Amino acid sequence: MAKVHFGQFVVGPPGAGKSTYCNGLAQFLRAANRPTAVVNLDPANDLLPYECDIDIRELVTLEDVAEDLKLGPNGGLMYCMEYLEENLDWLLKKLDTLDKYILFDCPGQVELYTHHSSMKNILEILIKKDYRICTVHLIDAHYCTDAFKYISAVMLSLQSMIQLETPHINVLSKVDLIEQFGKTAFNLDFYTEVQDLSYLLTQSESDAFGRKHMKLTHALCELISDFSLVGFQTLCIEDKLSVAKVVKTIDKANGFIYGYSGYGSTEDSFLHAMENDDGSENMRVQEKWMSG
């Protein structure tokens, strides 16, 4: 019987904090007695904050692709992912040496998760190899302070969920900096639960851009509402309680929490403390990092 492996596919736009998340979460899980490996799948990332167990740059780098094939950054990244897909045995052989929980740190080009097929195909093969993967989609929390950016972020999350077809957790990262560029129009629950987006449209009626594109924005909001799939967790990677709550949500999504003990006990002090969570995390975040 094949051994089951668990892990996370960490995706999101540039600057969302994917590498920081992988670095902080790996430290958190190791402290929680869960051996964890980090796999870098970003061929352009040469400033990793962690020591990775597998690095795609040993196989292909964006710099070499750009120089040899005269491709720009977007086309180059797509080529790199296609090259990885064609040479996936290289990755699978290295993964076979790891008996750990795995964090896949992915590139920040959103097209790879919205309509390009390579990442989806790679995920499908991993799942067939008994990897229980949860996609963790990071969105910078400060987008909540701008109606159009927030709606765009929700659309991006929805498209990634539909495209990748895995258990999927959307996360508002860097929630401790949520109001660094302005104030939110509503309480945090509005944004994490993706409540009636028509209220956001009223906030943009005084904006010239908003008036010009009101019909399009209204149509996007209706589409989001019709699917009714998107919701968000909040995360401050430096806050243990915040990280523990996200980990428990992900563990439920990929099945790790349901009786699996292959990597050691999950009943560590951090996660065990969350068992009596009363659902007030948004209130705690609101009081700690948001004004008003």
Side-chain angles (χ1 to χ4, degrees):
M1 183 176 178
K3 183 175 177 60
V4 176
H5 300 272
F6 291 85
Q8 303 176 25
F9 224 62
V10 183
V11 305
K18 297 181 293 298
S19 294
T20 301
Y21 170 85
C22 289
N23 182 39
L25 187 61
Q27 295 179 44
F28 178 91
L29 293 175
R30 289 164 186 157
N33 195 32
R34 187 187 301 184
T36 302
V38 184
V39 176
N40 175 42
L41 293 184
D42 186 351
N45 192 350
D46 55 1
L47 295 174
L48 296 174
Y50 51 79
E51 182 177 343
C52 56
D53 296 77
I54 302 174
D55 192 346
I56 190 178
R57 293 174 301 168
E58 297 175 7
L59 176 70
V60 62
T61 68
L62 180 60
E63 183 180 1
D64 290 342
V65 168
E67 182 178 345
D68 294 344
L69 301 179
K70 309 304 179 186
L71 293 173
N74 292 339
L77 272 172
M78 288 186 178
Y79 178 88
C80 289
M81 293 302 104
E82 292 168 0
Y83 189 81
L84 175 62
E85 181 185 357
E86 292 176 0
N87 297 274
L88 196 57
D89 285 345
W90 173 87
L91 177 61
L92 294 175
K93 288 178 181 177
K94 288 183 175 292
L95 288 173
D96 284 343
T97 66
L98 301 178
D99 186 21
K100 299 179 180 180
Y101 189 90
I102 303 173
L103 304 176
F104 295 90
D105 187 4
C106 299
Q109 187 177 357
V110 298
E111 293 92 335
L112 296 172
Y113 321 112
T114 58
H115 58 271
H116 193 260
S117 61
S118 286
M119 296 301 273
K120 179 180 179 179
N121 294 339
I122 291 169
L123 267 172
E124 287 178 349
I125 293 172
L126 288 173
I127 290 170
K128 289 178 181 178
K129 297 287 185 180
D130 284 317
Y131 285 83
R132 303 287 195 266
I133 303 293
C134 175
T135 298
V136 179
H137 187 218
L138 301 183
I139 294 290
D140 198 317
H142 81 76
Y143 286 175
C144 295
T145 61
D146 183 293
F148 297 113
K149 288 182 180 179
Y150 175 73
I151 293 171
S152 297
V154 176
M155 275 298 301
L156 176 60
S157 300
L158 176 61
Q159 181 59 32
S160 298
M161 295 173 77
I162 295 171
Q163 169 73 4
L164 297 179
E165 297 182 315
T166 64
H168 195 110
I169 303 297
N170 298 302
V171 177
L172 294 174
S173 63
K174 298 183 276 189
V175 73
D176 51 318
L177 304 176
I178 187 171
E179 293 189 335
Q180 66 173 334
F181 296 120
K183 305 299 181 184
T184 54
F186 304 100
N187 286 338
L188 187 59
D189 286 345
F190 178 91
Y191 301 97
T192 58
E193 298 172 9
V194 191
Q195 296 176 6
D196 190 348
L197 296 181
S198 64
Y199 289 111
L200 283 178
L201 299 183
T202 63
Q203 299 291 314
S204 59
E205 289 177 350
S206 60
D207 182 88
F209 180 88
R211 291 193 301 270
K212 180 178 180 181
H213 299 281
M214 185 59 67
K215 288 185 178 179
L216 174 61
T217 307
H218 183 72
L220 292 175
C221 291
E222 284 189 342
L223 179 65
I224 292 167
S225 179
D226 287 344
F227 274 94
S228 192
L229 289 175
V230 182
F232 291 96
Q233 300 289 316
T234 60
L235 174 69
C236 170
I237 195 63
E238 296 177 350
D239 184 271
K240 290 180 180 178
L241 195 60
S242 176
V243 176
K245 183 171 178 59
V246 170
V247 169
K248 288 204 73 174
T249 302
I250 295 168
D251 284 351
K252 290 179 181 178
N254 65 12
F256 185 91
I257 201 171
Y258 297 112
Y260 188 78
S261 58
Y263 305 123
S265 173
T266 60
E267 296 297 323
D268 56 88
S269 58
F270 298 144
L271 301 186
H272 185 74
M274 296 299 298
E275 289 183 354
N276 297 320
D277 176 45
D278 60 2
S280 61
E281 176 66 5
N282 280 356
M283 185 180 299
R284 187 181 75 89
V285 171
Q286 185 103 23
E287 293 176 350
K288 188 170 184 177
W289 292 301
M290 299 174 67
S291 59

